[in-house]
């Protein structure tokens, strides 16, 4: 029995999601810590950067502390990346059977697929952010779910929905657009050579950096809303808080580890996905 193409896309996506999650989880943890740093720093105290946070975690929580939140990350990425790629594949097959989408359509395609996956996986995202922030003593994902529903009500599981969609839909839209445009711009002899995975990866890195920077402010706001939903019930509260406390630069906190991780993850996920789909004889 031949598996349905969308199911194959789901499997390829999940597989590529697993590889990249394991590899880049430490960068995600460092990003969440940077964004939720309690600013009890005295004026004139040295700025805390990515490297400082990195070594602080290793010092206080051992090396494996960097992989805190990897279980919710897996629970989010494996179905999440799968849902994303299978939605993406289905939408693309449905609307663009005979031609490739133009720049505007690519944005919609990426953003649409991301919204479906984002809404489906949001509760796990909230739990993952809290695991990484180090402020909650959750033992397991199920325990975290239970404790949140009992103490804060099920609504807490959807905290930061707006910020998450404002972050993920544009990220994915911009990414798919730059990625497909970059690949189109390549001369034919490169795109048919044995360097294809490398070229895909390169296009992915460029697309990822541009998309990461454009959506960094939404990411900072999402982290604040998910770690302490009681303080910031509305998106605007979180925006106001970040601005009054850190000024404009506050919206770009954690930009380095995030763009590193998002870029490498996306580039890797797409490269692995396209290679697997090609192996299965499907056009991604």
């Amino acid at each position: 029995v031949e598996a349905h193409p969308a199911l194959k896309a789901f499997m390829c996506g999940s597989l590529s999601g697993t590889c990249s999650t394991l590899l880049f989880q430490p960068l995600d943890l460092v990003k969440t810590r940077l964004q939720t740093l309690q600013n009890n720093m005295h004026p004139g105290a040295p700025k805390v950067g990515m490297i400082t946070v990195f070594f602080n975690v290793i010092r206080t929580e051992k090396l494996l502390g960097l992989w805190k939140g990897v279980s919710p990350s897996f629970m989010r990425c494996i179905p999440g990346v799968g849902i994303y790629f299978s939605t993406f594949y289905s939408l693309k097959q449905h609307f663009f059977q005979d031609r490739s989408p133009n720049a505007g359509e690519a944005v919609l395609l990426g953003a649409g697929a991301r919204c479906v996956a984002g809404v489906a996986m949001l509760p796990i995202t909230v739990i993952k952010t809290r695991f990484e922030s180090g402020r909650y003593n959750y033992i397991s994902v199920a325990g975290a779910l239970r404790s949140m529903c009992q103490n804060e009500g099920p609504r807490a599981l959807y905290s930061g929905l707006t910020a998450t969609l404002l972050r993920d839909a544009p990220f994915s839209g911009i990414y798919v657009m730059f990625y497909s445009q970059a690949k189109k711009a390549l001369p034919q002899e490169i795109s048919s050579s044995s360097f294809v995975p490398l070229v895909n990866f390169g296009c992915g890195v460029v697309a990822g950096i541009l998309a990461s920077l454009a959506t960094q402010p939404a990411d900072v706001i999402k982290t604040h809303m998910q770690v302490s939903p009681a303080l910031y019930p509305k998106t605007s509260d979180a925006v106001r808080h970040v601005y009054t406390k850190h000024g404009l630069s506050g919206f770009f906190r954690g930009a380095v580890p995030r763009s590193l991780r998002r870029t490498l993850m996306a580039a890797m996920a797409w490269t692995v996905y396209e290679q697997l789909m090609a192996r299965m004889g499907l056009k991604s």
Side-chain angles (χ1 to χ4, degrees), residues 120-198:
M121 302 320 291
L122 190 69
I124 308 277
T125 308
V126 175
I127 290 173
K128 177 185 82 75
T129 308
R130 291 183 170 203
F131 259 89
E132 292 167 356
S133 76
R135 292 195 199 171
Y136 292 86
N137 306 335
Y138 297 137
I139 318 283
S140 66
V141 177
L145 265 171
R146 209 173 312 120
S147 124
M148 281 175 73
C149 286
Q150 282 166 2
N151 304 333
E152 307 167 58
R155 271 200 61 180
L157 291 174
Y158 276 89
S159 48
L161 175 64
T162 322
T164 304
L165 291 182
L166 280 175
R167 177 197 71 166
D168 288 348
F171 178 89
S172 196
I174 296 167
Y175 186 88
V176 171
M177 179 188 78
F178 280 124
Y179 184 66
S180 52
Q181 297 309 91
K183 276 173 55 182
K184 262 188 207 156
L186 290 171
Q188 188 57 47
E189 52 270 21
I190 294 182
S191 46
S192 54
S193 69
S194 57
F195 292 119
V196 172
L198 260 177

Side-chain angles (χ1 to χ4, degrees), residues 1-244:
V1 184
E2 188 64 2
H4 190 276
L7 192 71
K8 286 186 177 173
F10 183 90
M11 283 160 29
C12 297
S14 300
L15 216 81
S16 74
T18 313
C19 308
S20 41
T21 302
L22 244 185
L23 222 54
F24 304 122
Q25 178 62 24
L27 284 170
D28 200 37
L29 181 108
V30 169
K31 177 214 77 166
T32 301
R33 293 287 169 97
L34 268 177
Q35 291 174 350
T36 52
L37 274 179
Q38 291 302 347
N39 248 17
N40 40 16
M41 302 195 288
H42 324 293
K47 263 190 74 178
V48 179
M50 177 174 140
I51 309 296
T52 324
V53 172
F54 190 79
F55 285 112
N56 273 349
V57 173
I58 294 180
R59 212 181 51 240
T60 55
E61 307 168 43
K62 305 282 176 292
L63 189 62
L64 284 177
L66 288 168
W67 271 271
K68 228 189 203 151
V70 78
S71 57
S73 268
F74 269 150
M75 288 181 68
R76 187 191 77 163
C77 266
I78 297 173
V81 180
I83 292 171
Y84 173 71
F85 278 121
S86 54
T87 310
F88 181 83
Y89 180 81
S90 309
L91 285 172
K92 199 170 163 191
Q93 291 306 92
H94 186 73
F95 292 107
F96 306 102
Q97 278 166 336
D98 41 1
R99 60 185 183 91
S100 59
N102 64 29
E105 292 161 340
V107 171
L108 291 174
L109 205 59
R114 187 77 260 169
C115 282
V116 174
V119 172
M121 302 320 291
L122 190 69
I124 308 277
T125 308
V126 175
I127 290 173
K128 177 185 82 75
T129 308
R130 291 183 170 203
F131 259 89
E132 292 167 356
S133 76
R135 292 195 199 171
Y136 292 86
N137 306 335
Y138 297 137
I139 318 283
S140 66
V141 177
L145 265 171
R146 209 173 312 120
S147 124
M148 281 175 73
C149 286
Q150 282 166 2
N151 304 333
E152 307 167 58
R155 271 200 61 180
L157 291 174
Y158 276 89
S159 48
L161 175 64
T162 322
T164 304
L165 291 182
L166 280 175
R167 177 197 71 166
D168 288 348
F171 178 89
S172 196
I174 296 167
Y175 186 88
V176 171
M177 179 188 78
F178 280 124
Y179 184 66
S180 52
Q181 297 309 91
K183 276 173 55 182
K184 262 188 207 156
L186 290 171
Q188 188 57 47
E189 52 270 21
I190 294 182
S191 46
S192 54
S193 69
S194 57
F195 292 119
V196 172
L198 260 177
V199 172
N200 284 355
F201 198 81
C203 291
V205 168
V206 176
I209 290 172
L210 294 167
S212 280
L213 289 175
T215 55
Q216 185 62 25
D219 185 65
V220 174
I221 289 156
K222 172 201 85 87
T223 301
H224 279 287
M225 289 180 75
Q226 291 178 347
V227 171
S228 26
L231 288 175
Y232 318 112
K234 294 210 294 292
T235 310
S236 52
D237 301 328
V239 174
R240 205 172 303 117
H241 165 82
V242 174
Y243 186 67
T244 44

